[in-house]
Coordinates of all heavy atoms in Angstrom, one line a residue:
M1158 N -3.8 -7.9 -16.8 CA -3.2 -7.6 -15.5 C -2.3 -6.5 -15.6 O -1.7 -6.3 -16.7 CB -2.5 -8.9 -15.0 CG -3.3 -10.1 -14.6 SD -4.5 -9.8 -13.3 CE -3.5 -10.1 -11.9
I1159 N -2.1 -5.7 -14.6 CA -1.3 -4.5 -14.5 C -0.1 -4.8 -13.6 O -0.2 -5.3 -12.5 CB -2.1 -3.3 -13.9 CG1 -3.3 -3.0 -14.8 CG2 -1.2 -2.1 -13.8 CD1 -4.3 -2.1 -14.2
R1160 N 1.1 -4.5 -14.1 CA 2.3 -4.6 -13.3 C 2.6 -3.3 -12.5 O 2.7 -2.3 -13.1 CB 3.5 -4.9 -14.1 CG 3.6 -6.4 -14.6 CD 4.8 -6.7 -15.3 NE 5.9 -6.3 -14.5 CZ 7.2 -6.7 -14.6 NH1 7.5 -7.5 -15.5 NH2 8.1 -6.3 -13.7
I1161 N 2.7 -3.5 -11.2 CA 3.0 -2.3 -10.3 C 4.3 -2.7 -9.5 O 4.6 -3.8 -9.2 CB 1.9 -1.9 -9.4 CG1 1.6 -3.0 -8.4 CG2 0.7 -1.5 -10.2 CD1 0.6 -2.5 -7.3
C1162 N 5.0 -1.6 -9.1 CA 6.1 -1.8 -8.2 C 5.6 -1.2 -6.9 O 5.2 -0.1 -6.8 CB 7.3 -1.0 -8.7 SG 8.7 -1.2 -7.6
L1163 N 5.6 -2.1 -5.9 CA 5.0 -1.7 -4.6 C 6.2 -1.6 -3.6 O 7.0 -2.4 -3.4 CB 4.1 -2.8 -4.1 CG 3.3 -2.6 -2.8 CD1 2.4 -1.4 -2.8 CD2 2.5 -3.9 -2.5
Y1164 N 6.2 -0.4 -2.9 CA 7.2 -0.1 -1.9 C 6.5 -0.2 -0.6 O 5.6 0.6 -0.3 CB 7.9 1.3 -2.1 CG 8.6 1.4 -3.4 CD1 8.0 1.8 -4.6 CD2 10.0 1.0 -3.5 CE1 8.7 1.9 -5.8 CE2 10.7 1.1 -4.6 CZ 10.1 1.5 -5.8 OH 10.8 1.6 -7.0
L1165 N 7.0 -1.1 0.2 CA 6.3 -1.3 1.6 C 7.2 -0.8 2.7 O 8.4 -1.3 2.8 CB 6.0 -2.8 1.8 CG 5.2 -3.5 0.7 CD1 5.1 -5.0 0.9 CD2 3.8 -2.9 0.7
K1166 N 6.7 0.0 3.5 CA 7.5 0.6 4.6 C 6.9 0.1 5.9 O 5.8 0.3 6.2 CB 7.3 2.2 4.5 CG 8.1 2.9 5.5 CD 9.5 3.0 5.1 CE 10.3 4.0 6.0 NZ 11.7 3.9 5.9
E1167 N 7.8 -0.7 6.6 CA 7.4 -1.3 7.9 C 7.3 -0.3 9.0 O 6.4 -0.2 9.8 CB 8.4 -2.4 8.2 CG 8.4 -3.5 7.2 CD 7.2 -4.4 7.2 OE1 6.6 -4.6 8.3 OE2 6.8 -4.8 6.1
D1168 N 8.4 0.6 9.1 CA 8.5 1.6 10.1 C 9.5 2.6 9.7 O 10.2 2.4 8.7 CB 8.8 1.0 11.5 CG 10.1 0.3 11.5 OD1 11.1 0.8 11.1 OD2 10.1 -0.9 12.1
K1169 N 9.6 3.7 10.4 CA 10.5 4.8 10.0 C 12.0 4.5 10.2 O 12.8 5.1 9.5 CB 10.2 6.1 10.9 CG 10.5 5.9 12.3 CD 10.2 7.2 13.1 CE 10.4 7.0 14.6 NZ 10.2 8.2 15.3
N1170 N 12.3 3.4 10.9 CA 13.7 3.1 11.1 C 14.3 2.1 10.1 O 15.5 1.9 10.0 CB 13.9 2.4 12.5 CG 13.5 3.4 13.6 OD1 13.8 4.6 13.5 ND2 12.8 2.9 14.6
N1171 N 13.4 1.5 9.2 CA 13.9 0.6 8.2 C 13.6 1.1 6.8 O 12.6 1.7 6.6 CB 13.2 -0.8 8.5 CG 13.7 -1.4 9.8 OD1 14.9 -1.5 10.1 ND2 12.7 -1.9 10.5
P1172 N 14.4 0.7 5.9 CA 14.1 1.1 4.5 C 12.9 0.3 3.9 O 12.6 -0.8 4.4 CB 15.4 0.7 3.7 CG 16.1 -0.3 4.6 CD 15.7 0.0 6.0
S1173 N 12.3 0.9 2.9 CA 11.2 0.2 2.3 C 11.6 -1.1 1.6 O 12.8 -1.1 1.1 CB 10.4 1.1 1.4 OG 11.2 1.6 0.4
K1174 N 10.7 -2.0 1.4 CA 11.0 -3.2 0.7 C 10.2 -3.1 -0.6 O 9.1 -2.7 -0.7 CB 10.4 -4.4 1.4 CG 11.1 -4.7 2.8 CD 10.5 -5.8 3.5 CE 11.1 -5.9 4.9 NZ 10.4 -7.0 5.7
Q1175 N 10.9 -3.5 -1.7 CA 10.3 -3.4 -3.1 C 9.7 -4.7 -3.4 O 10.3 -5.8 -3.2 CB 11.4 -3.0 -4.0 CG 10.9 -2.8 -5.5 CD 12.0 -2.3 -6.4 OE1 13.0 -1.9 -6.0 NE2 11.7 -2.4 -7.7
Q1176 N 8.5 -4.7 -4.0 CA 7.9 -5.9 -4.5 C 7.1 -5.6 -5.8 O 6.5 -4.6 -5.9 CB 6.9 -6.3 -3.4 CG 6.3 -7.7 -3.5 CD 5.5 -8.1 -2.3 OE1 5.0 -7.2 -1.5 NE2 5.3 -9.3 -2.1
V1177 N 7.3 -6.5 -6.7 CA 6.6 -6.3 -8.0 C 5.4 -7.2 -8.0 O 5.5 -8.4 -7.7 CB 7.5 -6.7 -9.2 CG1 6.8 -6.6 -10.5 CG2 8.7 -5.8 -9.2
L1178 N 4.2 -6.7 -8.3 CA 3.0 -7.4 -8.3 C 2.2 -7.2 -9.6 O 2.3 -6.2 -10.3 CB 2.1 -6.9 -7.2 CG 2.5 -7.1 -5.7 CD1 1.5 -6.5 -4.8 CD2 2.7 -8.6 -5.4
E1179 N 1.4 -8.2 -10.0 CA 0.5 -8.1 -11.1 C -0.9 -8.0 -10.4 O -1.3 -9.0 -9.7 CB 0.6 -9.2 -12.0 CG 1.9 -9.2 -12.8 CD 1.9 -10.1 -14.0 OE1 0.9 -10.7 -14.3 OE2 3.0 -10.1 -14.7
V1180 N -1.6 -7.0 -10.7 CA -2.9 -6.7 -10.1 C -4.0 -6.3 -11.1 O -3.6 -6.0 -12.3 CB -2.8 -5.6 -9.0 CG1 -1.9 -6.0 -7.8 CG2 -2.3 -4.3 -9.6
N1181 N -5.2 -6.4 -10.7 CA -6.3 -6.0 -11.7 C -6.4 -4.5 -11.9 O -6.9 -4.0 -12.9 CB -7.6 -6.5 -11.1 CG -7.7 -8.0 -11.2 OD1 -7.1 -8.6 -12.1 ND2 -8.3 -8.6 -10.2
R1182 N -6.0 -3.7 -10.8 CA -6.1 -2.3 -10.9 C -5.1 -1.7 -10.0 O -4.6 -2.3 -9.0 CB -7.5 -1.8 -10.5 CG -7.9 -2.1 -9.1 CD -9.3 -1.5 -8.8 NE -9.6 -1.8 -7.4 CZ -9.1 -1.2 -6.3 NH1 -8.2 -0.2 -6.5 NH2 -9.4 -1.5 -5.1
V1183 N -4.7 -0.4 -10.2 CA -3.8 0.3 -9.4 C -4.5 0.8 -8.1 O -5.6 1.4 -8.2 CB -3.2 1.5 -10.1 CG1 -2.3 2.3 -9.2 CG2 -2.5 1.1 -11.4
P1184 N -3.9 0.5 -6.9 CA -4.6 0.9 -5.7 C -4.6 2.4 -5.6 O -3.7 3.1 -6.1 CB -3.7 0.4 -4.6 CG -2.8 -0.6 -5.2 CD -2.7 -0.3 -6.7
A1185 N -5.6 2.9 -4.9 CA -5.8 4.4 -4.8 C -5.1 4.9 -3.5 O -4.9 4.1 -2.5 CB -7.3 4.7 -4.7
M1186 N -4.8 6.1 -3.4 CA -4.3 6.7 -2.2 C -5.3 6.6 -1.1 O -6.5 6.8 -1.3 CB -3.9 8.2 -2.4 CG -2.6 8.3 -3.2 SD -2.1 10.0 -3.4 CE -2.1 10.7 -1.8
G1187 N -4.8 6.2 0.1 CA -5.6 6.0 1.3 C -6.2 4.6 1.4 O -6.8 4.2 2.4
E1188 N -6.1 3.8 0.3 CA -6.7 2.5 0.3 C -5.8 1.5 1.1 O -4.6 1.7 1.3 CB -6.7 2.0 -1.2 CG -7.4 0.7 -1.3 CD -7.5 0.3 -2.8 OE1 -7.5 1.2 -3.7 OE2 -7.7 -0.9 -3.1
F1189 N -6.4 0.5 1.7 CA -5.7 -0.5 2.5 C -5.4 -1.7 1.7 O -6.2 -2.1 0.9 CB -6.5 -0.9 3.8 CG -6.7 0.2 4.8 CD1 -7.8 1.0 4.8 CD2 -5.6 0.4 5.7 CE1 -7.9 2.0 5.8 CE2 -5.7 1.4 6.7 CZ -6.9 2.2 6.7
I1190 N -4.2 -2.3 1.9 CA -3.8 -3.5 1.1 C -3.5 -4.5 2.2 O -2.7 -4.3 3.1 CB -2.5 -3.2 0.3 CG1 -2.8 -2.1 -0.7 CG2 -2.1 -4.5 -0.4 CD1 -1.5 -1.6 -1.4
D1191 N -4.0 -5.7 2.1 CA -3.8 -6.8 2.9 C -2.8 -7.8 2.3 O -3.1 -8.4 1.3 CB -5.1 -7.5 3.3 CG -5.0 -8.7 4.2 OD1 -3.9 -8.9 4.8 OD2 -6.0 -9.4 4.4
L1192 N -1.6 -7.9 2.8 CA -0.6 -8.7 2.3 C -0.1 -9.7 3.3 O 0.7 -9.3 4.2 CB 0.6 -7.9 1.7 CG 0.3 -7.1 0.5 CD1 1.6 -6.2 0.2 CD2 0.0 -7.9 -0.7
G1193 N -0.5 -10.9 3.3 CA 0.0 -11.9 4.2 C -0.1 -11.6 5.7 O 0.9 -11.6 6.3
F1194 N -1.3 -11.3 6.1 CA -1.6 -11.0 7.5 C -1.0 -9.6 7.9 O -1.0 -9.3 9.1 CB -1.0 -12.0 8.5 CG -1.6 -13.4 8.2 CD1 -0.9 -14.4 7.7 CD2 -3.0 -13.6 8.5 CE1 -1.4 -15.6 7.4 CE2 -3.5 -14.9 8.2 CZ -2.8 -15.9 7.7
N1195 N -0.5 -8.8 7.0 CA 0.0 -7.5 7.3 C -0.9 -6.5 6.5 O -1.3 -6.7 5.4 CB 1.4 -7.3 6.9 CG 2.4 -8.0 7.8 OD1 2.3 -8.0 9.0 ND2 3.3 -8.8 7.2
L1196 N -1.2 -5.4 7.1 CA -2.1 -4.4 6.6 C -1.2 -3.1 6.2 O -0.5 -2.7 7.1 CB -3.2 -4.0 7.5 CG -4.3 -3.1 7.0 CD1 -5.1 -3.7 5.9 CD2 -5.2 -2.7 8.1
Y1197 N -1.3 -2.6 5.0 CA -0.6 -1.5 4.6 C -1.6 -0.4 4.0 O -2.6 -0.8 3.4 CB 0.4 -1.8 3.5 CG 1.5 -2.7 3.9 CD1 1.3 -4.1 3.9 CD2 2.7 -2.3 4.4 CE1 2.3 -5.0 4.3 CE2 3.7 -3.1 4.8 CZ 3.5 -4.5 4.7 OH 4.5 -5.3 5.2
R1198 N -1.3 0.8 4.3 CA -2.1 1.9 3.7 C -1.4 2.7 2.7 O -0.2 3.2 2.9 CB -2.6 2.9 4.8 CG -3.6 3.8 4.3 CD -4.3 4.6 5.5 NE -5.5 5.3 5.0 CZ -6.2 6.0 5.7 NH1 -6.0 6.1 7.0 NH2 -7.2 6.7 5.2
V1199 N -1.9 2.8 1.5 CA -1.3 3.5 0.4 C -1.2 5.0 0.6 O -2.2 5.6 1.0 CB -2.0 3.2 -0.9 CG1 -1.5 4.0 -2.1 CG2 -2.1 1.8 -1.3
F1200 N 0.0 5.6 0.5 CA 0.2 7.0 0.7 C 0.7 7.7 -0.5 O 0.8 9.0 -0.5 CB 1.0 7.3 2.0 CG 2.5 7.0 1.9 CD1 3.4 7.9 1.4 CD2 2.9 5.7 2.3 CE1 4.7 7.5 1.3 CE2 4.2 5.4 2.3 CZ 5.2 6.3 1.7
L1201 N 1.1 7.0 -1.5 CA 1.7 7.6 -2.7 C 1.5 6.7 -3.9 O 1.7 5.5 -3.9 CB 3.2 7.9 -2.6 CG 3.9 8.5 -3.7 CD1 3.4 9.9 -3.9 CD2 5.4 8.5 -3.5
V1202 N 1.0 7.3 -5.0 CA 0.7 6.5 -6.3 C 1.3 7.4 -7.4 O 0.9 8.5 -7.5 CB -0.7 6.2 -6.5 CG1 -0.9 5.5 -7.8 CG2 -1.3 5.4 -5.4
C1203 N 2.2 6.8 -8.2 CA 2.7 7.4 -9.4 C 2.4 6.6 -10.6 O 2.9 5.5 -10.7 CB 4.2 7.6 -9.2 SG 5.0 8.3 -10.7
H1204 N 1.4 7.1 -11.4 CA 1.0 6.4 -12.6 C 2.1 6.6 -13.7 O 2.6 7.6 -13.9 CB -0.3 6.9 -13.1 CG -1.4 6.5 -12.1 ND1 -2.1 5.4 -12.1 CD2 -1.9 7.2 -11.1 CE1 -3.0 5.3 -11.2 NE2 -2.9 6.5 -10.5
S1205 N 2.3 5.5 -14.4 CA 3.2 5.5 -15.6 C 4.6 6.2 -15.2 O 5.0 7.2 -15.8 CB 2.6 6.3 -16.8 OG 1.4 5.6 -17.1
P1206 N 5.3 5.6 -14.3 CA 6.6 6.2 -13.9 C 7.5 6.3 -15.1 O 7.6 5.4 -16.0 CB 7.2 5.3 -12.8 CG 6.1 4.3 -12.5 CD 5.1 4.4 -13.6
Y1207 N 8.3 7.4 -15.2 CA 9.2 7.6 -16.3 C 10.2 6.5 -16.4 O 10.8 6.1 -15.4 CB 9.9 9.0 -16.1 CG 10.9 9.3 -17.2 CD1 10.5 9.7 -18.5 CD2 12.3 9.2 -16.9 CE1 11.4 10.0 -19.4 CE2 13.2 9.5 -17.9 CZ 12.8 9.9 -19.2 OH 13.7 10.2 -20.1
N1208 N 10.5 6.0 -17.6 CA 11.6 5.0 -17.9 C 11.4 3.8 -17.0 O 12.4 3.3 -16.4 CB 12.9 5.7 -17.6 CG 14.0 5.0 -18.4 OD1 13.7 4.3 -19.3 ND2 15.2 5.4 -18.1
S1209 N 10.2 3.2 -17.0 CA 9.9 2.1 -16.1 C 9.1 1.0 -16.8 O 8.4 1.3 -17.8 CB 9.2 2.5 -14.9 OG 8.8 1.4 -14.1
D1210 N 9.3 -0.2 -16.4 CA 8.5 -1.3 -17.0 C 7.1 -1.5 -16.3 O 6.4 -2.4 -16.6 CB 9.2 -2.7 -16.9 CG 10.5 -2.7 -17.7 OD1 10.5 -2.0 -18.8 OD2 11.4 -3.4 -17.4
F1211 N 6.9 -0.7 -15.3 CA 5.7 -0.8 -14.5 C 4.6 0.3 -14.9 O 5.0 1.4 -15.4 CB 6.0 -0.6 -13.0 CG 7.1 -1.4 -12.5 CD1 8.3 -0.9 -12.1 CD2 7.0 -2.8 -12.5 CE1 9.4 -1.7 -11.7 CE2 8.0 -3.6 -12.0 CZ 9.2 -3.0 -11.6
Q1212 N 3.4 0.0 -14.7 CA 2.3 0.9 -15.0 C 2.1 1.9 -13.8 O 1.4 2.9 -14.0 CB 1.1 0.2 -15.4 CG 1.3 -0.5 -16.8 CD 0.0 -1.2 -17.3 OE1 -0.4 -2.1 -16.6 NE2 -0.5 -0.7 -18.4
A1213 N 2.6 1.5 -12.7 CA 2.5 2.4 -11.5 C 3.5 2.0 -10.4 O 3.9 0.9 -10.3 CB 1.1 2.4 -10.9
S1214 N 3.9 3.0 -9.7 CA 4.7 2.8 -8.5 C 3.8 3.2 -7.3 O 3.2 4.3 -7.3 CB 6.0 3.6 -8.5 OG 6.9 3.2 -9.4
V1215 N 3.7 2.3 -6.3 CA 2.8 2.5 -5.2 C 3.6 2.4 -3.9 O 4.4 1.4 -3.7 CB 1.7 1.5 -5.2 CG1 0.8 1.7 -4.0 CG2 0.9 1.6 -6.5
A1216 N 3.5 3.4 -3.0 CA 4.2 3.3 -1.7 C 3.1 3.1 -0.6 O 2.1 3.8 -0.7 CB 5.0 4.6 -1.4
A1217 N 3.4 2.2 0.3 CA 2.4 2.0 1.4 C 3.1 1.8 2.7 O 4.2 1.2 2.8 CB 1.6 0.7 1.0
L1218 N 2.4 2.2 3.8 CA 3.0 2.2 5.1 C 2.3 1.1 5.9 O 1.0 1.0 5.9 CB 2.8 3.5 5.8 CG 3.4 3.7 7.2 CD1 4.9 3.5 7.2 CD2 3.0 5.1 7.7
K1219 N 3.0 0.3 6.7 CA 2.4 -0.7 7.5 C 1.5 -0.1 8.5 O 1.9 0.9 9.2 CB 3.5 -1.6 8.2 CG 2.9 -2.8 8.9 CD 4.0 -3.7 9.3 CE 3.4 -5.0 10.0 NZ 4.4 -5.9 10.4
T1220 N 0.3 -0.7 8.7 CA -0.7 -0.1 9.6 C -1.2 -1.2 10.5 O -1.4 -2.4 10.1 CB -1.9 0.4 8.8 OG1 -1.4 1.3 7.8 CG2 -2.9 1.1 9.6
D1221 N -1.4 -0.9 11.8 CA -1.9 -1.8 12.8 C -3.3 -2.1 12.5 O -4.1 -1.2 12.2 CB -1.7 -1.2 14.2 CG -2.1 -2.1 15.3 OD1 -1.8 -3.3 15.1 OD2 -2.7 -1.6 16.2
W1222 N -3.7 -3.4 12.6 CA -5.2 -3.7 12.4 C -6.1 -3.0 13.4 O -7.2 -2.6 13.0 CB -5.3 -5.2 12.6 CG -4.9 -6.0 11.4 CD1 -3.7 -6.7 11.3 CD2 -5.6 -6.2 10.2 NE1 -3.7 -7.3 10.1 CE2 -4.8 -7.1 9.4 CE3 -6.9 -5.8 9.8 CZ2 -5.3 -7.5 8.1 CZ3 -7.3 -6.2 8.5 CH2 -6.5 -7.0 7.7
N1223 N -5.6 -2.7 14.6 CA -6.5 -2.0 15.6 C -6.7 -0.6 15.1 O -7.8 0.0 15.3 CB -5.8 -2.0 16.9 CG -5.9 -3.4 17.5 OD1 -6.7 -4.2 17.3 ND2 -4.8 -3.7 18.3
T1224 N -5.7 0.0 14.5 CA -5.8 1.4 14.0 C -6.9 1.4 12.9 O -7.7 2.3 12.8 CB -4.5 1.9 13.5 OG1 -3.5 1.8 14.5 CG2 -4.5 3.4 13.0
C1225 N -6.8 0.5 12.1 CA -7.8 0.4 10.9 C -9.2 0.2 11.5 O -10.1 0.9 11.0 CB -7.4 -0.8 10.0 SG -8.6 -1.0 8.7
E1226 N -9.4 -0.7 12.5 CA -10.7 -0.9 13.1 C -11.2 0.4 13.7 O -12.4 0.7 13.6 CB -10.7 -2.0 14.1 CG -10.5 -3.4 13.4 CD -10.3 -4.5 14.4 OE1 -10.2 -4.2 15.6 OE2 -10.3 -5.6 14.0
N1227 N -10.3 1.2 14.3 CA -10.7 2.5 15.0 C -11.2 3.4 13.9 O -12.1 4.2 14.1 CB -9.6 3.0 15.8 CG -9.3 2.2 17.0 OD1 -10.1 1.5 17.5 ND2 -8.1 2.4 17.6
L1228 N -10.5 3.5 12.7 CA -10.9 4.4 11.7 C -12.2 4.0 11.1 O -13.1 4.9 10.8 CB -9.8 4.3 10.5 CG -8.5 5.0 10.8 CD1 -7.5 4.7 9.6 CD2 -8.7 6.5 10.9
I1229 N -12.5 2.7 11.0 CA -13.8 2.3 10.5 C -14.9 2.6 11.5 O -15.9 3.1 11.1 CB -13.7 0.7 10.3 CG1 -12.8 0.4 9.1 CG2 -15.2 0.2 10.0 CD1 -12.5 -1.1 8.9
D1230 N -14.6 2.4 12.8 CA -15.6 2.8 13.8 C -15.9 4.3 13.8 O -17.0 4.7 13.9 CB -15.1 2.4 15.2 CG -15.0 0.9 15.4 OD1 -15.7 0.2 14.6 OD2 -14.4 0.4 16.3
Q1231 N -14.8 5.1 13.6 CA -15.0 6.6 13.6 C -15.9 6.9 12.4 O -16.7 7.8 12.5 CB -13.7 7.3 13.5 CG -12.9 7.3 14.8 CD -11.6 7.9 14.7 OE1 -11.2 8.3 13.6 NE2 -10.8 7.9 15.8
N1232 N -15.6 6.3 11.2 CA -16.4 6.6 10.0 C -17.9 6.2 10.2 O -18.8 6.9 9.7 CB -15.8 5.9 8.8 CG -14.6 6.6 8.3 OD1 -14.4 7.8 8.6 ND2 -13.8 5.9 7.6
D1233 N -18.1 5.1 10.9 CA -19.5 4.7 11.2 C -20.2 5.6 12.1 O -21.4 5.8 11.9 CB -19.5 3.3 11.8 CG -19.1 2.2 10.8 OD1 -19.1 2.4 9.6 OD2 -18.7 1.1 11.2
M1234 N -19.5 6.3 12.9 CA -20.1 7.2 13.9 C -20.5 8.6 13.2 O -21.4 9.2 13.6 CB -19.2 7.5 15.1 CG -19.0 6.3 15.9 SD -17.7 6.6 17.1 CE -18.7 7.0 18.5
N1235 N -19.8 8.9 12.1 CA -20.1 10.2 11.4 C -21.2 10.1 10.5 O -21.8 9.5 9.9 CB -18.8 10.7 10.7 CG -17.7 11.0 11.6 OD1 -18.0 11.4 12.8 ND2 -16.5 10.9 11.2

């Protein structure tokens, strides 16, 4: 298992929340993460952060499920 530090941003008015997770792999940029009925989209990945106990720091922004479905529909049309 890989230890990552996940920074979750709910919206622009609130600071991000930090969460440490053990995962099988580091999420990629643009990937969606489903955490407890909330959907987040990864926008930043830093592998092997300097002076850290984590193998990666990952930042993700909360995304509306409808927005995700619209993106999937658009990709299906192309």
Side-chain angles (χ1 to χ4, degrees):
M1158 296 296 276
I1159 299 168
R1160 281 185 56 158
I1161 66 169
C1162 184
L1163 184 60
Y1164 295 92
L1165 302 172
K1166 185 78 172 165
E1167 299 288 326
D1168 59 48
K1169 64 180 180 179
N1170 298 322
N1171 293 314
S1173 60
K1174 297 176 187 173
Q1175 182 179 348
Q1176 191 173 21
V1177 176
L1178 296 176
E1179 289 194 5
V1180 295
N1181 292 325
R1182 62 177 183 77
V1183 176
M1186 286 182 49
E1188 186 173 337
F1189 290 98
I1190 302 172
D1191 181 7
L1192 292 174
F1194 303 108
N1195 290 313
L1196 185 67
Y1197 296 86
R1198 189 167 192 182
V1199 175
F1200 69 89
L1201 179 67
V1202 177
C1203 177
H1204 294 273
S1205 302
Y1207 178 74
N1208 206 13
S1209 174
D1210 293 333
F1211 309 113
Q1212 291 182 296
S1214 290
V1215 178
L1218 182 63
K1219 188 172 184 179
T1220 305
D1221 182 40
W1222 281 100
N1223 292 329
T1224 303
C1225 179
E1226 289 174 355
N1227 290 339
L1228 286 171
I1229 291 169
D1230 291 342
Q1231 286 176 359
N1232 284 338
D1233 289 342
M1234 295 172 96
N1235 293 333

